[in-house]
Amino acid sequence: MMRFFQWLHRWVSLIIVIQVLLWLVSGFYFSLNGHHGMSGHQYLEHGDHAMLSEVAPTVDVADIRQRYPDAKTIRLHSIAGIPQFIVTSVDDTHYLNGLTGAVWTTSPELATTIAMSTYNGPGDVQEVSAIQGSDEILNWDDAGYQVNLEDDLNTRIYIDAASGQMLNHRNTPWTLADWAFRLHFMDYSGGRSFNHLLIWSAGLLALWFSLSGLILLINNFAKGDMNPRRKPTMLEHLQREQKPVASSCGGGGTCGLCKVTLEGDDLPAPTPAEKILLSESEIEGGLRLSCQHRVDDKYSIKLPDHDAATVTLELATRRLLSPSIVELTFNSSEAVSYQAGQFMQFCIPHREQVLTRHYSMATSPDPHRFVFTVRQMPSPSEKIPPGIGSTYLCGMEKGATIEAIGPFGDFILSENSQRTQLFIGGGAGIAPLRALLQTELSRSQPRSCVFFYGARHVNELCYRNEFTGVDQLEYIPVISEPKENQGWKGATGFVHEEVEAWIRNQDVNQLDVYVCGPPPMLKATMAMLAEAGVPRDQIRFDDFGI
Amino acid sequence: MPQQQRTSRWRVWHRWLSVIFGVQMVIWSISGAYMVFFDLDFIHGDHLVQDITTVVPPDADVQPVSAVIQNYPHSQTVTLDTRWINQQLHSVYIAEGHHGTELLDATSLAPIELSEEHIVELANRYYAKGEPKVSSVVYLTENPPTELNPKLLPIWQVNYDDFGNTSLYLSPETGEMLVKRHTFWRGFDFFWMTHIMDYEDRTDIESWWLQAFMIGTFILMITGVVLLVYTISFRRKRPGGAE
């Protein structure tokens, strides 16, 4: 649900952001200028009308009633000292001169006089022009005059010819404010209407946008994200202290790498993520994911990989194993003791920050030498960039150095069993399996080993020669795209299918299984092994920490 | 997730700014939506009232306007009009000037005093929402409600028991309806208050805190835009995972 609101907030903001900016800018303009500053009335004088006893009208209402028998109201007032009757009849309004009884007319001179009687600014009349309606006076299309004044505000005064009424003052600040209104109301006709489809849509979007933000904020409060005194998670704490702890999901509770052992009374209850990623006996033994719990004085944290340290690795050689897999060999001046099957966490510099990437060592342990197989990830399309970690590593010059933390991981050889060692690998998953195999086969009395390795093409079968014709090792390469590999005599199909056929004739209780490969292959293989009845605690797998 | 580390500082700022300014942003968008979605003519209450002017009866014996001016020489405006008083249509003069406003019988030029009953009668004629049900009539001389400009005092307030709680305000001198209010106007006024953040007079748009909130919202928006750029451009996950 919160993801939906996050999505909504993000995408609606993308649509509405420009209009929000316009609302803010125009709103700020309104606030800076105030009602008066935007009215155009800086030099408006509310003139006092003459007393009717002084302007002496000579026409009487009786005459007007005769001429306009449907008059509803007859109003007598004065304009520029001249009496004027306004007759409102059923469907029209008439303006009459109170001295002559004739229909009112406004000469340019009279218009100027009327305009100036409403003006208290410093300017003189610059120009009087007869006009028919104006963009600056809403809903006025009649004949009239525009009286321009020579002042600092560039004042214009509009006079209606039929009535002699001053319609309004306009000036430069008014024009600017008018544009601010257009932006604020999204009415680019100048009508200053804020009841139209465009602003309804924008209003609705803005409402969704701000309300989704509010819901997210409330959720943040509810989760305690806003509490400045809230303790960090153990993972955050360990990372801040630069303690060696692996994590590839960044604290999301999905990779299961940041295992720690907690010691103390009253250990925290396992979270749903832990119930999925840890076994019951592990939880019983105090094992937890450090991203799932906050630092607490009640218990102490023990790192499982206490030998892990930060080391500087120097690139020695680079070799292409297959069209997509590169073998990188690093030297370390410091001795690092690691076990076959373990991995290092690389610190990849990327745009002012450091990304972490995990790679397993691909040889039996050598404290000063680290071999990794890196799958080069080309861009699937132009829009998607190639893998950041692999691109960086494959682009390193010989002699260049990189920081890595480790070793980590419990994907190691079983002890105290004489069972057949079954290795199932695919693609770049070769690395830890090769390390395990090398270690096992170099023992004085190695256990019997079987290695199924899947690839799409023959030329992707890494280290093929190394595994062929070795005592104690049965090597079964499997090609999944045989059509493109004319002349391939070996097994074809998916690697787990080949294992499935093989395992039927085996005593599954007499197998120790090691699986490493890309997620779909791993998933299919695990399902197949469960189906075949291999005991779960005899299966070890490395899922690259995804 | 690496971008999380990078964006976390922006995100913290975005969250904390939104506690103060984001909440006002919500208020702005709610109040803005209200003002946008209700038609302004409806808000003004144009549907509440009707035009009650009628043609001056041709047989009405009307004194010449000069007689009115003679009696009220300070008049600046004199209007011949009609008024329904006690179920009868009267021709009247309204003389306005420095002396104030006078309602006069057009035949006798005698001043007309409008009583409460007269006011209610006129208000009911203005009222356009069916059978008028008056709930209260108040003669306001001081402490006007917020919905009324104090300059219009004194004034008659006629309240109706209807959907929208219509109130009509009539001039005690002329009986003319000057102001009309209903629930949706009051809602608009309330949201206008929250929109401009002037919680007292509901008119000042130049307050420093309004400006401060706009600047704060601007900063909030900048942090949001930065987050938007980061999250939308870095969101893609890489396939595989070994890398």
Side-chain angles (χ1 to χ4, degrees), chain B residues 120-186:
Chain B
V120 172
E121 184 189 349
L122 284 167
N124 287 349
R125 282 190 181 273
Y126 278 112
Y127 187 77
K129 287 182 75 187
E131 190 61 33
K133 262 168 70 187
V134 175
S135 61
S136 64
V137 183
V138 188
Y139 184 60
L140 297 168
T141 54
E142 52 182 8
N143 298 328
T146 48
E147 66 191 44
L148 186 74
N149 183 343
K151 282 181 194 160
L152 293 173
L153 288 177
I155 200 164
W156 282 100
Q157 180 193 48
V158 182
N159 299 309
Y160 288 89
D161 179 18
D162 61 4
F163 174 74
N165 291 312
T166 306
S167 297
L168 301 181
Y169 292 86
L170 281 77
S171 156
E173 290 94 13
T174 68
E176 192 186 352
M177 196 240 0
L178 301 176
V179 176
K180 49 197 186 295
R181 297 287 183 249
H182 62 137
T183 303
F184 294 93
W185 187 95
R186 295 174 190 121

Side-chain angles (χ1 to χ4, degrees), chain B residues 101-121:
Chain B
T101 303
E102 289 287 341
L103 183 67
L104 309 169
D105 186 289
T107 311
S108 66
L109 296 189
I112 300 172
E113 294 280 330
L114 293 171
S115 66
E116 180 173 336
E117 287 71 35
H118 297 146
I119 291 291
V120 172
E121 184 189 349

Side-chain angles (χ1 to χ4, degrees), chain A residues 320-326 374-378 394 456 459-460:
Chain A
L320 210 59
L321 292 182
S322 83
S324 63
I325 297 182
V326 180
V374 177
R375 186 180 185 86
Q376 266 186 308
M377 300 291 291
C394 294
R456 279 181 303 175
N459 60 10
E460 284 179 353

Side-chain angles (χ1 to χ4, degrees), chain B residues 30-61:
Chain B
I30 292 174
S31 53
Y34 182 95
M35 296 192 274
V36 159
F37 277 100
F38 285 103
D39 195 74
L40 194 60
D41 294 337
F42 170 75
I43 292 299
H44 283 160
D46 293 357
H47 63 293
L48 301 173
V49 294
Q50 56 202 358
D51 179 20
I52 63 164
T53 58
T54 44
V55 173
V56 180
D59 57 345
D61 180 16

Side-chain angles (χ1 to χ4, degrees), chain A residues 502-537:
Chain A
W502 177 85
I503 215 165
R504 280 194 206 119
N505 305 317
Q506 302 294 318
D507 178 358
V508 290
N509 291 314
Q510 288 307 311
L511 291 174
D512 281 337
V513 191
Y514 307 86
V515 193
C516 183
M521 170 262 168
L522 190 77
K523 203 177 158 200
T525 307
M526 294 301 283
M528 180 275 295
L529 292 173
E531 180 78 10
V534 181
R536 177 65 185 82
D537 56 6

Side-chain angles (χ1 to χ4, degrees), chain A residues 339-360:
Chain A
Q339 287 178 271
Q342 287 195 303
F343 65 88
M344 298 294 284
Q345 177 165 296
F346 279 85
C347 308
I348 313 269
H350 178 66
R351 297 194 195 175
E352 308 159 21
Q353 63 162 92
V354 174
L355 311 186
T356 59
R357 292 288 184 271
H358 301 138
Y359 290 98
S360 297

Side-chain angles (χ1 to χ4, degrees), chain A residues 339-534:
Chain A
Q339 287 178 271
Q342 287 195 303
F343 65 88
M344 298 294 284
Q345 177 165 296
F346 279 85
C347 308
I348 313 269
H350 178 66
R351 297 194 195 175
E352 308 159 21
Q353 63 162 92
V354 174
L355 311 186
T356 59
R357 292 288 184 271
H358 301 138
Y359 290 98
S360 297
M361 278 68 85
T363 61
S364 56
D366 177 341
H368 292 282
R369 198 163 148 273
F370 292 78
V371 179
F372 302 95
T373 60
V374 177
R375 186 180 185 86
Q376 266 186 308
M377 300 291 291
S379 305
S381 75
E382 269 182 29
K383 284 179 192 162
I384 301 174
I388 296 166
S390 61
T391 306
Y392 183 86
L393 289 176
C394 294
M396 280 175 71
E397 295 290 329
K398 263 181 211 176
T401 60
I402 186 163
E403 298 240 298
I405 306 168
F408 296 113
D410 47 12
F411 187 60
I412 52 177
L413 288 169
S414 65
E415 303 286 337
N416 311 323
S417 100
Q418 281 309 312
R419 296 187 276 259
T420 299
Q421 307 294 298
L422 170 61
F423 300 87
I424 308 167
I430 187 81
L433 297 175
R434 180 176 177 239
L436 294 172
L437 277 162
Q438 282 188 353
T439 305
E440 183 63 37
L441 296 170
S442 62
R443 290 186 177 187
S444 52
Q445 285 185 314
R447 293 169 283 191
S448 152
C449 295
V450 183
F451 180 27
F452 286 88
Y453 180 58
R456 279 181 303 175
H457 305 281
V458 178
N459 60 10
E460 284 179 353
L461 291 171
C462 307
Y463 304 113
R464 187 176 162 195
N465 294 336
E466 187 179 321
F467 301 122
T468 318
V470 179
D471 288 343
Q472 294 292 327
L473 171 63
E474 191 183 342
Y475 174 57
I476 302 135
V478 187
I479 296 300
S480 65
E481 291 176 13
K483 273 184 198 158
E484 296 167 31
N485 297 274
Q486 302 285 329
W488 172 250
K489 300 275 193 305
T492 58
F494 287 118
V495 65
H496 69 274
E497 295 165 349
E498 198 64 28
V499 180
E500 192 176 18
W502 177 85
I503 215 165
R504 280 194 206 119
N505 305 317
Q506 302 294 318
D507 178 358
V508 290
N509 291 314
Q510 288 307 311
L511 291 174
D512 281 337
V513 191
Y514 307 86
V515 193
C516 183
M521 170 262 168
L522 190 77
K523 203 177 158 200
T525 307
M526 294 301 283
M528 180 275 295
L529 292 173
E531 180 78 10
V534 181

Side-chain angles (χ1 to χ4, degrees), chain A residues 309-337:
Chain A
T310 303
V311 287
T312 304
L313 300 178
E314 184 187 328
L315 184 66
T317 62
R318 178 174 51 207
R319 180 161 78 98
L320 210 59
L321 292 182
S322 83
S324 63
I325 297 182
V326 180
E327 182 194 76
L328 298 175
T329 305
F330 291 90
N331 290 331
S332 164
S333 49
E334 267 173 86
V336 179
S337 87

